Amino acid sequence: MERLRTFIALPVPSELQHIMARTQSQLREAGADVKWETPDKFHITLKFLGDTEASVITQLQKDLLIPIGELRGFDVSYEGVGSFPNLMRPRVVWIGTKPNSELSRLQELVEQRCSVLGFPRDDRPFHAHVTLGRVKGNRGLDGLTARLKSVTFEPSIARCCEIHIMRSELKPTGSVYTLVKSIPLVP
């Protein structure tokens, strides 16, 4: 049976992708050894599923359609630049979001539906963010750390009106994302 590397995401609108890309460009100037994501791949991961049988993805689509479809759309405020695990040892560079009860509720609903289908719950607390890049080595880390402390991302608000089930294919040039299913929220 076919297995697909899959995740569930909150897409970032294209106009906001361009704004985030400008911040990413400022961080790139540090010359650090980072694999920077392309703006068209910017999203908030609600749940990473990994390699999943196609039949399970089909069932997940059905299981998410009604509860997600009953949620109202909501605004997400994207703000701040940061890194995991922290600014002094960056491994993942991101733009965060302001705490949001609707987003937390959406993520928890996704987590619950996935656990019913046998996906393990994430051990870490949910921290909504958009990954700008992943650090690959130590070159330029001091410069990147300095940039992370000085670069700002002015708060930008975007409407959340759908979630995406995405396929991620690993290629030598990087991952390629393909939309499997879009599930709308109530407008």
Side-chain angles (χ1 to χ4, degrees):
M1 174 142 306
E2 182 182 19
R3 295 180 72 82
L4 308 173
R5 187 170 189 261
T6 315
F7 63 93
I8 301 171
L10 182 69
V12 173
S14 59
E15 60 274 8
L16 188 51
Q17 290 174 355
H18 298 300
I19 295 169
M20 291 178 174
R22 288 197 295 267
T23 299
Q24 184 188 54
S25 292
Q26 293 175 326
L27 295 168
R28 278 180 189 256
E29 291 173 6
D33 188 11
V34 176
K35 168 68 172 106
W36 297 103
E37 293 292 352
T38 57
D40 63 315
K41 291 169 62 178
F42 290 166
H43 66 276
I44 294 174
T45 300
L46 299 172
K47 177 75 175 169
F48 180 76
L49 304 175
D51 290 331
T52 307
E53 289 185 15
S55 62
V56 174
I57 295 170
T58 300
Q59 184 60 48
L60 181 60
Q61 291 174 30
K62 292 175 187 172
D63 288 357
L64 286 173
L65 195 58
I66 292 174
I68 298 294
E70 292 176 350
L71 293 179
R72 292 211 162 277
F74 56 91
D75 290 336
V76 176
S77 179
Y78 295 86
E79 53 187 56
V81 177
S83 64
F84 295 130
N86 57 53
L87 289 179
M88 298 311 296
R89 294 179 307 143
R91 303 312 308 154
V92 175
V93 178
W94 48 258
I95 289 175
T97 67
K98 183 177 181 178
N100 180 314
S101 61
E102 290 101 340
L103 178 55
S104 295
R105 191 173 82 218
L106 172 64
Q107 190 277 332
E108 179 57 30
L109 191 149
V110 167
E111 190 75 59
Q112 288 172 352
R113 294 296 170 161
C114 288
S115 69
V116 168
L117 289 174
F119 293 97
R121 292 183 73 87
D122 201 335
D123 297 340
R124 298 167 294 184
F126 178 63
H127 182 277
H129 67 280
V130 176
T131 298
L132 299 179
R134 299 179 191 284
V135 175
K136 296 298 180 191
N138 292 327
R139 178 179 45 83
L141 273 185
D142 290 340
L144 178 61
T145 298
R147 291 259 173 184
L148 285 167
K149 291 177 180 177
S150 66
V151 167
T152 59
F153 181 79
E154 291 300 318
S156 297
I157 295 174
R159 189 84 180 149
C160 170
C161 54
E162 64 184 341
I163 66 166
H164 289 171
I165 299 175
M166 302 293 295
R167 177 180 187 177
S168 174
E169 295 177 84
L170 298 179
K171 307 268 185 180
T173 55
S175 57
V176 175
Y177 296 166
T178 307
L179 177 64
V180 174
K181 177 75 173 173
S182 175
I183 301 174
L185 280 71
V186 176

